[in-house]
Amino acid sequence: MKFLKCYQFLLGLVLLAATSCENETAVPNLRSELSYNDLNTNESYSTQFLDQSGTSTVDLTEGNISLSMFQSMDNYIKSSVSTNSRIDQGLLSNLFNNTESSYSQIEIKGGLFNASDLNNSEESISARVAPSRSQAEILATQAYFESLFEEIDANSLSINEEASINQAGKLGNYLLNNKGIEVAQVIQKSLLGAFQLDYIGNVLLNSGLNADNSTLVSDRNYTQLEHNWDLAYATLTLNPIYLEGFSDTEKGSVSEFGAGAYIWEYNKSGYAKIYPAFLKGRAAIVNNDLVEMENQALVIRQEFEKSIANAALGYLGKWRTSTTEDKRAHAIGEALGFIYSLRFASTYQADANFSDTIIAALINSENGFWDIDAAKINTAEAAIKSKFNL
């Protein structure tokens, strides 16, 4: 009898301890549960996630500002090339780092912000490149872009020359360095990976999913986990409904910029999954359904990475199908930027060595672009197809 009472007492302690641990680790729902069936891909992202008072819990400002910075800096480079103007290294560096009120000196793109909004923001493109990597790798990546700014400035001093072997200048509409590389495209397409892919896929939708979801951020009506997910959406697109009006064959009336456009262009089998995954994943956070949240994050990451790989293949293919040297050079400039970006395709286990090996085999010869042949293109394509199962 004493043994039975002792057993019952000990069992009670075990159950009490288990209940206490469960209470300590349980995350309370801050909001009413959302039905996944009620999510609407024809409605704005922000209007579908509300607090008890009916106010949106979504703040896209931070991510949209950094994307507008990228778009505006890219436009400065393109405009300079089209008008045969010098591309100033110092200005590019200031835009990259958001210093010296540099956005007052260029046209602001995107339609959501003005120069003051960008200048006064704590955001910068440089702070968002390679954020998933070690501090040494972050610094190296920042230095890589700074070196490209220096190079494109030097190239622009020859903008009225005709590009040829060992001569920087313009070939058709494109500014090339002395090895025939269009540095403007390398900058833009490399930032799709170093900035957008790495920050969205490897930080916000990976390590960022471990953020707190039980309390509101101070003076805000969202949790840190909710905000991380919203930041991912806002860093991909400036549009309230991602790819609104787009179909397999037609672009929508509202333009996308950067990775947002290339996911559509180079992943026709997967682009339509992105917006529903953003909506369902955000609803899963509201519901504390962390398994579903991680499932939707993986969908976004994999389809994003696949689009970058397909884009690299697409532009390598355009080298083969283009009929003029200027179009071939343009295709290789874009391809090189996309191949660089593949180092951030973590779900496919690509890395810097993978990207650099392909790039070196393509252009690390005496004459760079001018030495490329079909065999080099075939080797690059085969490596990418194998890694990404394409």
Side-chain angles (χ1 to χ4, degrees):
M1 190 67 164
K2 287 182 179 180
F3 173 79
L4 181 58
K5 289 183 178 179
C6 181
Y7 174 78
Q8 290 172 333
F9 174 73
L10 291 173
L11 181 60
L13 288 178
V14 171
L15 292 173
L16 177 62
T19 302
S20 297
C21 291
E22 183 180 344
N23 288 339
E24 287 175 3
T25 59
V27 178
N29 277 45
L30 295 175
R31 319 189 193 286
S32 301
E33 185 167 320
L34 286 175
S35 169
Y36 298 128
N37 293 328
D38 290 340
L39 299 170
N40 190 340
T41 56
N42 294 314
E43 289 186 10
S44 166
Y45 178 89
S46 298
T47 60
Q48 300 190 58
F49 307 105
L50 311 176
D51 63 16
Q52 303 291 9
S53 68
T55 302
S56 175
T57 61
V58 175
D59 184 354
L60 303 178
T61 305
E62 183 181 338
N64 280 172
I65 279 182
S66 62
L67 184 52
S68 293
M69 288 176 173
F70 179 20
Q71 185 171 2
S72 300
M73 184 178 80
D74 179 70
N75 183 67
Y76 163 67
I77 296 173
K78 289 177 178 174
S79 298
S80 298
V81 173
S82 66
T83 58
N84 286 1
S85 303
R86 179 181 177 181
I87 302 170
D88 186 84
Q89 174 191 356
L91 178 54
L92 278 178
S93 181
N94 286 333
L95 293 169
F96 186 58
N97 295 290
N98 193 16
T99 53
E100 303 297 329
S101 298
S102 51
Y103 287 95
S104 297
Q105 301 177 52
I106 65 170
E107 180 185 3
I108 305 305
K109 301 296 288 185
L112 298 181
F113 307 103
N114 58 36
S116 180
D117 294 327
L118 303 191
N119 291 331
N120 294 329
S121 171
E122 295 182 358
E123 295 299 304
S124 71
I125 303 169
S126 65
R128 295 291 183 231
V129 294
S132 74
R133 305 306 167 91
S134 68
Q135 186 61 26
E137 289 174 294
I138 291 171
L139 293 174
T141 305
Q142 292 169 341
Y144 168 70
F145 284 105
E146 295 283 3
S147 71
L148 292 177
F149 302 154
E150 180 180 10
E151 182 174 7
I152 200 169
D153 183 332
N155 296 338
S156 71
L157 298 179
S158 301
I159 205 164
N160 292 309
E161 303 290 333
E162 182 175 356
S164 59
I165 295 175
N166 295 323
Q167 173 62 57
K170 259 186 156 179
L171 195 64
N173 295 321
Y174 312 116
L175 176 65
L176 310 182
N177 68 10
N178 64 351
K179 283 196 165 188
I181 307 302
E182 189 183 4
V183 178
Q185 289 302 325
V186 175
I187 291 171
Q188 185 198 67
K189 301 315 187 292
S190 296
L191 279 172
L192 296 189
F195 164 46
Q196 287 184 289
L197 177 57
D198 196 47
Y199 185 44
I200 293 171
N202 298 329
V203 176
L204 296 170
L205 299 186
N206 189 14
S207 58
L209 299 183
N210 296 319
D212 176 69
N213 196 39
S214 62
T215 57
L216 299 181
V217 174
S218 179
D219 298 324
R220 298 290 187 268
N221 68 336
Y222 49 73
T223 68
Q224 189 59 56
L225 181 57
E226 288 176 324
H227 191 53
N228 285 355
W229 193 273
D230 298 339
L231 267 175
Y233 182 77
T235 304
L236 178 66
T237 180
L238 298 176
N239 296 322
I241 302 174
Y242 174 57
L243 292 179
E244 181 180 17
F246 281 64
S247 68
D248 285 359
T249 57
E250 297 292 331
K251 290 183 178 182
S253 59
V254 179
S255 67
E256 292 286 349
F257 171 78
Y262 286 99
I263 290 173
W264 170 78
E265 186 172 355
Y266 283 98
N267 189 359
K268 287 296 193 286
S269 66
Y271 78 90
K273 301 175 185 177
I274 299 294
Y275 192 49
F278 266 111
L279 294 177
K280 192 170 186 179
R282 184 56 159 81
I285 293 172
V286 170
N287 297 341
N288 279 316
D289 184 355
L290 301 188
V291 172
E292 189 61 54
M293 173 196 72
E294 291 179 353
N295 288 340
Q296 298 307 314
L298 185 60
V299 169
I300 296 166
R301 294 176 66 202
Q302 288 179 330
E303 297 303 334
F304 194 163
E305 291 178 12
K306 193 186 303 180
S307 71
I308 299 295
N310 279 330
L313 291 172
Y315 283 102
L316 288 170
K318 287 181 181 180
W319 176 91
R320 189 181 289 106
T321 58
S322 295
T323 57
T324 60
E325 286 295 89
D326 62 323
K327 295 296 185 184
R328 283 187 163 191
H330 180 60
I332 289 300
E334 299 217 43
L336 292 173
F338 280 117
I339 294 168
Y340 175 89
S341 289
L342 292 179
R343 72 190 60 221
F344 300 105
S346 297
T347 71
Y348 283 91
Q349 299 181 324
D351 56 19
N353 182 64
F354 173 76
S355 292
D356 291 343
T357 298
I358 297 173
I359 291 171
L362 280 170
I363 62 168
N364 279 12
S365 62
E366 183 178 358
N367 299 316
F369 158 75
W370 307 102
D371 290 337
I372 291 177
D373 57 23
K376 290 183 178 182
I377 296 295
N378 292 342
T379 300
E381 289 174 332
I384 295 168
K385 288 178 180 178
S386 176
K387 173 64 75 173
F388 290 87
N389 302 316
L390 298 173

